[in-house]
């Protein structure tokens, strides 16, 4: 069951933790929290709400894989901790599911708009924080929206990791190809998971040839 990140206070948003791999202290938004599960295994806690002492690893595939391979979770916890060899894959899958569920919540809250004309209008009005494009959509419409987005400052971020069927099921709509996440606090919270996912997998299909709108990063 996915956990809703919910609203956070300024103090919570600015917390810093130490990466168990590099030893670097960094904001929680750039890390993945893990706790020890009932079976003694390292469990990803993407919402940072599960009980127990947290173990933090940088939000990228190499860091999580290194922590699992070298027994760094056990060293951090000072207790026996099992870490699955595919732990980084687990984190990626959980992030993908969490991001998709977040889109469904945003649509019900009125923070999304879908359809070519509506998305184009949102971009033109400077209201689009992120474009979510179906991976199986036609290139022509996508290119037109990206061309509009390149003239905006700041540029919207771009996410394209779900097919139209996945997006349709999440949003409760049919034939979802173009979607815009409107600027605001909801978009900022949702984008935190997108940035973390970027450390585990590309945010765009490899065979897209046009120059993409760059994914937003933490300042």
């Amino acid at each position: 069951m996915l956990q809703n990140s919910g609203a956070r206070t300024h103090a919570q948003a600015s917390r810093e933790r130490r990466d168990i791999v590099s030893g670097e202290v960094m904001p929680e938004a750039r890390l993945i929290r893990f706790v020890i599960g009932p079976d003694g295994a390292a469990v990803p806690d993407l919402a940072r709400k599960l009980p127990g002492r947290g173990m933090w690893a940088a939000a990228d595939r190499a860091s999580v894989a290194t922590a699992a391979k070298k027994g760094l979770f056990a060293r951090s916890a000072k207790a026996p901790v099992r870490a699955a060899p595919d732990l980084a894959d687990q984190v990626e899958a959980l992030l993908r599911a969490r991001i998709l569920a977040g889109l469904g919540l945003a649509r019900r809250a009125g923070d999304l708009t879908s359809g070519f004309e509506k998305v184009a209008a949102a971009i033109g009005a400077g209201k689009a924080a992120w474009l979510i494009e179906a991976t199986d959509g036609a290139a022509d419409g996508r290119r037109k929206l990206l061309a509009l987005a390149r003239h905006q400052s700041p540029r919207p971020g771009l996410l394209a990791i779900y097919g139209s069927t996945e997006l349709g099921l999440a949003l409760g709509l049919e034939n979802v190809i173009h979607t815009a996440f409107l600027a605001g606090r909801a978009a900022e919270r949702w984008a935190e998971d997108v940035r973390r996912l970027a450390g585990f997998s590309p945010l765009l299909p490899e065979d897209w040839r046009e120059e993409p709108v760059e994914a937003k990063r933490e300042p």
Side-chain angles (χ1 to χ4, degrees), residues 119 123 127-133 145-146 149-150 152-160 179-183 187 190-191 194-195 203-204 208 212-217:
V119 171
I123 295 171
K127 295 181 179 180
W130 282 83
L131 304 182
I132 298 93
E133 289 288 311
L145 292 178
L146 292 179
R150 290 189 187 103
Q152 299 302 311
S153 181
R155 290 184 183 183
L158 175 61
L159 178 69
T179 298
F181 205 130
L182 304 180
W190 175 82
V194 177
R195 295 187 185 101
L203 300 182
L204 307 171
W208 283 22
V213 179
E214 294 183 356
K216 294 182 178 179
R217 293 288 181 179

Side-chain angles (χ1 to χ4, degrees), residues 175-192:
N175 195 33
V176 178
I177 303 297
H178 313 289
T179 298
F181 205 130
L182 304 180
R185 293 183 64 183
E188 293 171 5
R189 291 193 299 268
W190 175 82
E192 181 179 299

Side-chain angles (χ1 to χ4, degrees), residues 28-50:
E28 287 185 356
R30 294 172 53 194
L31 297 157
I32 303 294
R33 182 178 188 260
F34 295 85
V35 297
I36 304 175
D39 61 352
V43 176
D45 177 22
L46 301 184
R48 305 191 284 268
K49 290 184 177 180
L50 292 177

